[in-house]
Amino acid sequence: AAGVIQSPRHLIKEKRETATLKCYPIPRHDTVYWYQQGPGQDPQFLISFYEKMQSDKGSIPDRFSAQQFSDYHSELNMSSLELGDSALYFCAVSPDNYNEQFFGPGTRLTVL
Amino acid sequence: AQSVAQPEDQVNVAEGNPLTVKCTYSVSGNPYFFWYVQYPNRGLQFLLKYITGDNLVKGSYGFEAEFNKSQTSFHLKKPSALVSDSALYFCAVRDDRGYKLSFGAGTTVTVRA
């Protein structure tokens, strides 16, 4: 079965700092999705990668960037953090484009 | 754009009673539909999906869902709810260009003993 490891699980940052969230698909998956879930909200799609290339882009701020590496893990980089960036960030993988996505446990980012 | 809506913010049922969580959709083409459950401070767990074929799909933990094209709905159901089913439930549709998921607003289910 597919799984996802995300690190860190919790992260506290100050405004205007940077943060890097990491996602490790198990086993390796060529497609990775990032979602942001604000307090009391549904998950919102940020960005996805297929075979290390960006495949789709959602409502991701210009302050955020992401990439997928040769070992298929992915990182979401967030700069100039704002209070409104406080949220749960999920990474998800899918064995193929015709099946469900498996979500990681998420990284809870708190911006103070 | 594909979208789903969950008309109820909360659903409260007694343990042992049937549970229904509603989801309606507005889509074009042949999208895929999913239900996920989220427990507090946890990730989303996949329950079931509808891609094509039989309109009644069965999933994990005794849940099932019926795809109804005439009513544009994909309601989640469980014949006999358990207290442990208390959680946040999301309906989702998969975009057919890029494959991202679009979620409904979520429905909080509370099953009382």
Side-chain angles (χ1 to χ4, degrees):
Chain A
V4 181
I5 294 176
Q6 291 188 247
S7 68
R9 294 293 310 278
H10 302 272
L11 189 59
I12 299 175
K13 291 286 186 178
E14 300 278 344
K15 281 174 54 178
R16 292 180 288 278
E17 286 190 322
T18 61
T20 297
L21 310 185
K22 299 182 179 182
C23 168
Y24 298 90
I26 301 172
R28 299 190 329 175
H29 284 279
D30 50 20
T31 306
V32 170
Y33 306 83
W34 284 96
Y35 293 85
Q36 177 193 57
Q37 185 179 26
Q41 298 180 3
D42 56 289
Q44 295 290 318
F45 170 74
L46 292 177
I47 195 167
S48 62
F49 292 87
Y50 172 71
E51 283 291 346
K52 294 160 285 197
M53 299 290 290
Q54 180 181 307
S55 56
D56 197 3
K57 195 172 182 180
S59 49
I60 182 170
D62 292 340
R63 301 177 289 108
F64 294 7
S65 65
Q67 58 180 327
Q68 186 179 29
F69 295 85
S70 57
D71 63 353
Y72 293 96
H73 92 273
S74 179
E75 295 183 3
L76 177 65
N77 299 292
M78 310 158 72
S79 62
S80 302
L81 287 170
E82 302 175 356
L83 296 179
D85 296 329
S86 295
L88 262 174
Y89 290 84
F90 292 109
C91 173
V93 298
S94 181
D96 56 55
N97 291 325
Y98 306 99
N99 282 290
E100 61 273 20
Q101 294 178 17
F102 295 96
F103 284 75
T107 294
R108 180 172 294 281
L109 172 66
T110 302
V111 181
L112 302 175
Chain B
Q2 321 287 40
S3 67
V4 290
Q6 294 178 243
E8 299 170 320
D9 292 335
Q10 292 191 6
V11 170
N12 299 299
V13 298
E15 188 173 35
N17 281 2
L19 169 63
T20 298
V21 187
K22 296 180 180 178
C23 174
T24 59
Y25 64 84
S26 174
V27 301
S28 59
N30 296 303
Y32 299 170
F33 295 95
F34 304 85
W35 275 101
Y36 285 85
V37 60
Q38 184 177 31
Y39 294 94
N41 299 312
R42 300 283 293 278
L44 286 84
Q45 296 179 34
F46 167 75
L47 284 178
L48 50 77
K49 65 185 176 189
Y50 173 79
I51 296 178
T52 187
D54 195 348
N55 289 343
L56 182 65
V57 293
K58 294 187 181 296
S60 306
Y61 312 117
F63 284 94
E64 59 186 31
E66 184 172 11
F67 176 73
N68 189 316
K69 195 169 185 178
S70 63
Q71 297 184 3
T72 61
S73 67
F74 187 56
H75 299 335
L76 180 70
K77 300 180 180 182
K78 186 170 184 178
S80 179
L82 301 172
V83 172
S84 56
D85 293 328
S86 298
L88 181 58
Y89 290 79
F90 288 102
C91 179
V93 61
R94 196 210 73 174
D95 193 281
D96 55 6
R97 288 178 290 174
Y99 312 115
K100 63 179 179 289
L101 293 178
S102 296
F103 291 86
T107 299
T108 299
V109 170
T110 301
V111 182
R112 60 186 184 276

